[in-house]
Coordinates of all heavy atoms in Angstrom, one line a residue:
Y177 N -91.3 125.0 -59.3 CA -89.9 125.0 -59.6 C -89.2 125.4 -58.3 O -89.7 126.3 -57.6 CB -89.6 126.0 -60.7 CG -90.1 125.6 -62.1 CD1 -91.4 126.0 -62.5 CD2 -89.4 124.7 -62.8 CE1 -91.9 125.6 -63.8 CE2 -89.9 124.2 -64.0 CZ -91.1 124.6 -64.5 OH -91.6 124.2 -65.7
H185 N -83.7 129.9 -65.2 CA -84.7 130.4 -66.2 C -84.6 131.9 -66.4 O -84.5 132.3 -67.5 CB -86.1 130.0 -65.7 CG -87.1 130.5 -66.7 ND1 -87.7 131.7 -66.5 CD2 -87.7 129.9 -67.8 CE1 -88.6 131.9 -67.5 NE2 -88.6 130.8 -68.3
W186 N -84.6 132.7 -65.3 CA -84.7 134.1 -65.5 C -83.4 134.7 -65.9 O -83.3 135.7 -66.6 CB -85.3 134.8 -64.2 CG -86.8 134.4 -64.1 CD1 -87.3 133.6 -63.2 CD2 -87.8 134.8 -65.0 NE1 -88.7 133.4 -63.4 CE2 -89.0 134.1 -64.5 CE3 -87.9 135.5 -66.1 CZ2 -90.3 134.3 -65.1 CZ3 -89.2 135.7 -66.8 CH2 -90.3 135.1 -66.3
A189 N -83.3 134.0 -69.6 CA -84.3 134.8 -70.2 C -83.8 136.3 -70.4 O -83.9 136.9 -71.5 CB -85.6 134.9 -69.4
I192 N -81.0 136.4 -73.0 CA -81.5 136.2 -74.4 C -82.2 137.6 -74.8 O -82.0 138.1 -75.9 CB -82.6 135.1 -74.5 CG1 -82.0 133.8 -74.1 CG2 -83.3 135.1 -75.9 CD1 -81.3 133.1 -75.2
L193 N -83.0 138.1 -73.9 CA -83.7 139.4 -74.3 C -82.7 140.6 -74.5 O -83.1 141.6 -75.0 CB -84.8 139.7 -73.3 CG -85.9 138.6 -73.2 CD1 -86.9 139.0 -72.2 CD2 -86.6 138.5 -74.6
R237 N -78.1 124.6 -67.2 CA -79.5 124.5 -67.0 C -80.1 123.2 -67.4 O -81.0 122.6 -66.8 CB -80.2 125.7 -67.8 CG -81.6 125.8 -67.6 CD -82.2 127.0 -68.1 NE -83.7 126.8 -68.0 CZ -84.5 127.5 -68.7 NH1 -84.1 128.5 -69.5 NH2 -85.8 127.3 -68.5
R246 N -90.2 117.4 -62.8 CA -90.7 118.5 -63.5 C -92.1 118.8 -63.0 O -93.0 117.9 -62.9 CB -90.8 118.1 -65.0 CG -90.8 119.3 -66.0 CD -90.5 118.7 -67.4 NE -91.4 117.6 -67.6 CZ -92.5 117.6 -68.3 NH1 -92.8 118.7 -69.0 NH2 -93.2 116.5 -68.5
H265 N -91.2 124.2 -75.0 CA -90.1 124.1 -74.0 C -88.9 123.4 -74.6 O -87.7 123.8 -74.5 CB -90.6 123.4 -72.8 CG -91.5 124.2 -71.9 ND1 -92.2 123.7 -70.9 CD2 -91.9 125.5 -72.0 CE1 -93.0 124.6 -70.3 NE2 -92.8 125.8 -71.0
L268 N -87.1 125.7 -77.0 CA -86.3 126.7 -76.3 C -85.0 126.1 -75.8 O -84.0 126.7 -75.9 CB -87.1 127.3 -75.2 CG -88.3 128.2 -75.7 CD1 -89.2 128.6 -74.5 CD2 -87.8 129.4 -76.4
Y269 N -85.1 124.9 -75.3 CA -83.8 124.2 -74.9 C -82.9 124.0 -76.0 O -81.7 124.2 -75.9 CB -84.1 122.9 -74.2 CG -84.5 123.0 -72.7 CD1 -85.7 122.4 -72.3 CD2 -83.7 123.7 -71.8 CE1 -86.1 122.5 -70.9 CE2 -84.1 123.8 -70.5 CZ -85.3 123.2 -70.0 OH -85.6 123.2 -68.7
L272 N -81.3 127.3 -76.9 CA -80.3 127.7 -76.0 C -78.9 127.2 -76.3 O -77.9 127.8 -75.9 CB -80.7 127.3 -74.5 CG -81.8 128.2 -73.9 CD1 -82.2 127.6 -72.6 CD2 -81.2 129.6 -73.6
L324 N -86.1 130.9 -82.7 CA -86.1 131.2 -81.2 C -87.2 132.3 -80.9 O -88.0 132.2 -80.0 CB -84.7 131.6 -80.7 CG -84.7 132.3 -79.3 CD1 -85.1 131.4 -78.2 CD2 -83.3 132.9 -79.0
L328 N -90.4 131.8 -78.7 CA -90.5 132.6 -77.5 C -91.8 133.4 -77.4 O -92.4 133.5 -76.4 CB -89.3 133.6 -77.4 CG -89.0 134.2 -76.1 CD1 -88.8 133.2 -75.0 CD2 -87.7 135.1 -76.2
H331 N -94.3 131.0 -76.2 CA -94.0 130.7 -74.8 C -94.6 131.9 -73.9 O -95.3 131.6 -72.9 CB -92.5 130.6 -74.7 CG -92.0 130.3 -73.3 ND1 -92.4 129.1 -72.7 CD2 -91.2 130.9 -72.4 CE1 -91.8 129.1 -71.5 NE2 -91.1 130.2 -71.3
V332 N -94.2 133.1 -74.3 CA -94.7 134.2 -73.4 C -96.2 134.4 -73.5 O -96.9 134.6 -72.5 CB -93.9 135.5 -73.9 CG1 -94.5 136.7 -73.1 CG2 -92.4 135.4 -73.6
A335 N -97.7 131.8 -71.3 CA -97.5 132.2 -69.8 C -98.5 133.3 -69.5 O -99.2 133.2 -68.4 CB -96.1 132.7 -69.6
T346 N -99.5 128.9 -63.1 CA -98.3 128.5 -64.0 C -97.2 129.5 -63.9 O -96.0 129.2 -63.8 CB -98.8 128.4 -65.5 OG1 -99.9 127.4 -65.5 CG2 -97.7 127.9 -66.4
L347 N -97.6 130.8 -64.0 CA -96.5 131.9 -64.0 C -96.0 132.0 -62.5 O -94.8 132.1 -62.3 CB -97.1 133.2 -64.5 CG -96.1 134.4 -64.6 CD1 -94.9 134.0 -65.5 CD2 -96.8 135.6 -65.1
R349 N -95.6 129.7 -60.3 CA -94.6 128.7 -59.9 C -93.3 128.9 -60.5 O -92.3 128.2 -60.1 CB -95.2 127.3 -60.1 CG -95.3 126.9 -61.5 CD -95.9 125.5 -61.6 NE -96.0 125.0 -63.0 CZ -96.5 123.9 -63.3 NH1 -97.1 123.1 -62.4 NH2 -96.6 123.5 -64.5
M350 N -93.1 129.8 -61.5 CA -91.8 130.1 -62.1 C -91.4 131.4 -61.6 O -90.2 131.8 -61.7 CB -91.9 130.1 -63.6 CG -90.6 130.3 -64.4 SD -89.3 129.2 -63.8 CE -89.2 128.0 -65.1
Ligands
LIG893 C1 -89.4 136.7 -71.0 C2 -90.5 136.1 -70.6 C3 -90.7 134.7 -70.1 C4 -91.7 134.3 -69.4 C5 -92.9 135.2 -68.9 C6 -91.6 132.9 -69.1 C7 -92.4 132.1 -68.4 C8 -92.3 130.8 -68.1 C9 -93.1 130.0 -67.2 C10 -94.3 130.6 -66.5 C11 -92.7 128.8 -67.2 C12 -93.3 127.6 -66.4 C13 -94.2 126.8 -67.3 C14 -94.8 125.7 -66.6 O1 -94.7 125.6 -65.3 O2 -95.5 124.8 -67.2 C15 -91.5 128.7 -68.1 C16 -90.8 127.6 -68.3 C17 -89.8 127.5 -69.2 N1 -89.2 128.6 -69.9 FE1 -89.8 130.5 -69.8 N2 -90.4 132.5 -69.8 C18 -89.9 133.6 -70.4 C19 -88.7 133.5 -71.1 C20 -88.0 132.4 -71.4 C21 -86.8 132.3 -72.3 C22 -86.1 133.5 -72.9 C23 -86.5 131.0 -72.4 C24 -85.3 130.4 -73.1 C25 -84.9 130.7 -74.3 C26 -87.4 130.2 -71.6 C27 -87.4 128.9 -71.5 C28 -88.2 128.1 -70.7 C29 -88.1 126.7 -70.6 C30 -87.2 125.8 -71.4 C31 -89.1 126.3 -69.7 C32 -89.5 124.9 -69.2 C33 -88.8 124.6 -67.9 C34 -88.9 123.1 -67.6 O3 -90.0 122.7 -67.2 O4 -87.9 122.4 -67.8 N3 -88.3 131.1 -71.1 N4 -91.3 130.0 -68.6

Side-chain angles (χ1 to χ4, degrees):
Y177 292 97
H185 176 271
W186 292 110
I192 299 276
L193 295 177
R237 185 169 170 196
R246 205 167 46 105
H265 288 170
L268 290 172
Y269 278 128
L272 279 173
L324 162 66
L328 194 56
H331 180 63
V332 174
T346 305
L347 185 56
R349 71 183 181 181
M350 185 49 104

